[in-house]
Amino acid sequence: MKPSRKRSLIFRYALVYTLLFCVTSLAILGFLYWSTFSLDQGRVDAEISAEAELLQEKFSRKGVAEIKTILARRSTDRPGGSTIYMLATQRLEWVAGNLRDWPAGEAAGQEVVEFPLGESSELARARAVDLPDGLRLLVGRNLGEVAKLRDLIVQAMFGAFGLTLVLGVAGGLFVGRRVSSRLEKINQNSVAILAGDFSRRMPVGSGGDEFDDLSENLNRMLDRIEGLMEGMRSVSDEIAHDLRSPISRLKSRIEVALLTEDDPGSYRQVLQETVVEADRILSIFNALLAITLAESGAERERFQDVDLDDMAGDVVDTYEPLATETGLQLVRDSTGQALVRGEPHLLAQALANLLDNAIKYVPSGGRIQIRLVRTEDSQTLMVQDDGPGMAEDFRDRAFERFSRADGSRTEPGSGLGLSLVRAVAHLHGGEVTLEDAEPGLRVSLILPL
């Protein structure tokens, strides 16, 4: 069931985006208003102070008559004009100017102050200065026009905020729907995959954004899962094919033994043959388990420093009696310490499989050599023999599970040895190669340092 729109994660993100957009816009518009207001007020105050100082200077040079003339010329008959002047006595009685009443509480000083202009709702800003002869001069500006300008600015800002709000909501919905649309496609494909359609993949756009990265990673994961499942199906078929014969033989022997007369010797022989077949079946399952562990990557948690030279020595000591018994010369070229990071038991099992194959297929009198070769970034463990080698057209298939060359089907074995070697190599970030040793076969297990 789909979540309601109010509970949708995308809707919540779009709402948060819109709120942040609006709050940011308000902050910007408020800052612009404050900056404009402060700038305009500073300009008015500077003009008032400059004019007050100019009139004060003229008074000191030309006297009160000159000031009255100037005020009469600059003033209008109404106090609501843009410029305000008042020349008053010490007792604040009107002498000249367009303002008849001295503002209450207004004293001379350097500060420009704001006050109501008579009984009207308009405000004014003015500065009072003391003149000789006990006179006082008030110079100011009517803020009516400034207030109208501020109102226009506020209206424009509200309009801009309204437009910003609409754009923010539209942008939030657009982004939300776009993200929701892409997530919906991923969800639809996920549902199809859960239903069993493993051919479906996540859509990847051309933008190279985070959703594309997510889709590519999911697709790689699905490719890996599909490959593993295909491998499991293949392994299941191969197991059923390869185990059918030994299990059928077990069943047949047991049935034949049950049909014969009581004969302890016959029963004993049947049991011994049954044990051999059971051991072969167990070896197949153990090999498959080791391959599965290596391919799963779980064994990386057990990685440690492994000395390949010591490990090779231990494995060679184990197989040397078997090699001697079959008339083979087993030679190990020790190179001293050769450390890599890895899982020691799986590395030893990989080398054991290579030696087991060599001992199995190299004829008596042959030679098997184990040596280590180090490069700048890798350690290579080589097993080389002078046996019949391996056909070139079979080498690509040699690493497949239960894959066996035509000439080796009569020999004991399950066809899983090289599959395990390759799985171990990939677990360690390395690779395994098969080369013609002329004569014989050279197998190289290459491990990164």
Side-chain angles (χ1 to χ4, degrees), residues 126-157:
R127 177 184 172 187
V129 295
D130 289 330
L131 300 177
D133 302 330
L135 295 176
R136 304 186 72 182
L137 175 65
L138 183 73
V139 180
R141 292 289 185 274
N142 189 334
L143 299 181
E145 295 298 326
V146 175
K148 291 179 181 179
L149 177 61
R150 291 176 185 173
D151 291 340
L152 288 175
I153 293 175
V154 170
Q155 292 174 9
M157 286 185 173

Side-chain angles (χ1 to χ4, degrees), residues 55-125:
L55 292 175
Q56 191 176 22
E57 181 185 356
K58 284 183 177 294
F59 183 90
S60 62
R61 289 191 292 108
K62 297 185 179 182
V64 67
E66 179 67 15
I67 293 299
K68 286 182 180 181
T69 302
I70 293 174
L71 294 185
R73 187 171 62 247
R74 294 185 181 181
S75 301
T76 63
D77 292 334
R78 57 187 185 88
S82 61
T83 307
I84 298 170
Y85 299 101
M86 182 176 179
L87 181 64
T89 64
Q90 187 69 32
R91 299 174 63 182
L92 304 181
E93 295 172 347
W94 182 85
V95 175
N98 59 355
L99 184 64
R100 293 287 177 172
D101 298 317
W102 190 273
E106 182 65 28
Q110 298 295 322
E111 296 293 330
V112 177
V113 296
E114 193 169 301
F115 58 91
L117 198 57
E119 296 181 356
S120 68
S121 59
E122 295 181 348
L123 295 176
R125 290 184 67 81

Side-chain angles (χ1 to χ4, degrees), residues 109-342:
Q110 298 295 322
E111 296 293 330
V112 177
V113 296
E114 193 169 301
F115 58 91
L117 198 57
E119 296 181 356
S120 68
S121 59
E122 295 181 348
L123 295 176
R125 290 184 67 81
R127 177 184 172 187
V129 295
D130 289 330
L131 300 177
D133 302 330
L135 295 176
R136 304 186 72 182
L137 175 65
L138 183 73
V139 180
R141 292 289 185 274
N142 189 334
L143 299 181
E145 295 298 326
V146 175
K148 291 179 181 179
L149 177 61
R150 291 176 185 173
D151 291 340
L152 288 175
I153 293 175
V154 170
Q155 292 174 9
M157 286 185 173
F158 272 114
F161 176 72
L163 179 62
T164 301
L165 181 61
V166 172
L167 292 177
V169 172
L173 291 175
F174 173 76
V175 172
R177 288 182 178 178
R178 183 173 176 81
V179 173
S180 180
S181 173
R182 299 191 68 175
L183 287 179
E184 185 61 27
K185 291 179 182 178
I186 294 176
N187 286 332
Q188 289 174 356
N189 286 344
S190 299
V191 171
I193 292 169
L194 287 173
D197 185 3
F198 292 102
S199 64
R200 298 285 287 270
R201 292 296 181 267
M202 304 304 166
V204 179
S206 59
D209 55 20
E210 289 81 359
F211 278 103
D212 292 334
D213 292 340
L214 174 63
S215 296
E216 289 176 353
N217 291 333
L218 288 174
N219 289 340
R220 282 195 292 268
M221 179 186 70
L222 291 170
D223 290 340
R224 175 64 173 160
I225 292 174
E226 186 178 22
L228 290 174
M229 293 186 66
E230 183 63 31
M232 289 176 63
R233 283 193 292 267
S234 176
V235 168
S236 299
D237 294 341
E238 291 164 349
I239 288 176
H241 178 271
D242 275 54
L243 294 185
R244 184 181 294 114
S245 296
I247 291 176
S248 297
R249 284 195 295 269
L250 281 177
K251 182 174 180 293
S252 298
R253 287 195 184 98
I254 294 173
E255 288 175 345
V256 170
L258 291 174
L259 292 175
T260 59
E261 298 179 0
D262 294 345
D263 181 359
S266 176
Y267 287 163
R268 182 177 182 81
Q269 181 181 357
V270 170
L271 289 174
Q272 288 175 341
E273 293 173 351
T274 301
V275 169
V276 172
E277 290 292 345
D279 286 342
R280 182 170 181 271
I281 294 173
L282 285 174
S283 68
I284 291 175
F285 278 111
N286 288 334
L288 287 173
L289 178 61
I291 292 172
T292 302
L293 284 174
E295 289 181 341
S296 70
E299 294 298 291
R300 288 193 181 95
E301 296 180 358
R302 300 174 57 185
F303 275 17
Q304 56 184 278
D305 288 335
V306 180
D307 188 343
L308 292 180
D309 190 66
D310 283 348
M311 182 205 71
D314 293 339
V315 176
V316 167
D317 290 343
T318 301
Y319 278 85
E320 194 164 22
L322 179 60
T324 302
E325 182 181 337
T326 54
L328 299 174
Q329 182 182 6
L330 192 57
V331 179
R332 179 175 74 93
D333 297 337
S334 178
T335 59
Q337 191 179 61
L339 291 177
V340 295
R341 291 289 296 178

Side-chain angles (χ1 to χ4, degrees), residues 325-328 361-367:
E325 182 181 337
T326 54
L328 299 174
Y361 298 114
V362 174
S364 179
R367 184 173 186 269

Side-chain angles (χ1 to χ4, degrees), residues 316-423:
V316 167
D317 290 343
T318 301
Y319 278 85
E320 194 164 22
L322 179 60
T324 302
E325 182 181 337
T326 54
L328 299 174
Q329 182 182 6
L330 192 57
V331 179
R332 179 175 74 93
D333 297 337
S334 178
T335 59
Q337 191 179 61
L339 291 177
V340 295
R341 291 289 296 178
E343 207 291 313
H345 297 95
L346 287 177
L347 289 172
Q349 182 64 54
L351 178 57
N353 284 6
L354 296 178
L355 288 180
D356 186 72
N357 283 345
I359 293 173
K360 191 182 300 179
Y361 298 114
V362 174
S364 179
R367 184 173 186 269
I368 302 172
Q369 182 183 16
I370 299 95
R371 62 194 178 98
L372 286 164
V373 177
R374 175 173 179 145
T375 64
E376 260 186 51
D377 54 1
S378 67
Q379 285 278 9
T380 301
L381 180 60
M382 291 184 182
V383 177
Q384 181 174 326
D385 63 63
D386 55 4
M390 182 183 293
E392 186 174 355
D393 59 355
F394 180 71
R395 291 174 192 168
D396 291 337
R397 294 184 289 114
F399 296 107
E400 297 176 2
R401 292 185 179 94
F402 301 106
S403 179
R404 304 185 70 188
D406 293 336
S408 65
R409 294 191 179 275
T410 57
E411 298 289 339
S414 61
L416 294 171
L418 286 178
S419 296
L420 175 61
V421 174
R422 183 179 64 174

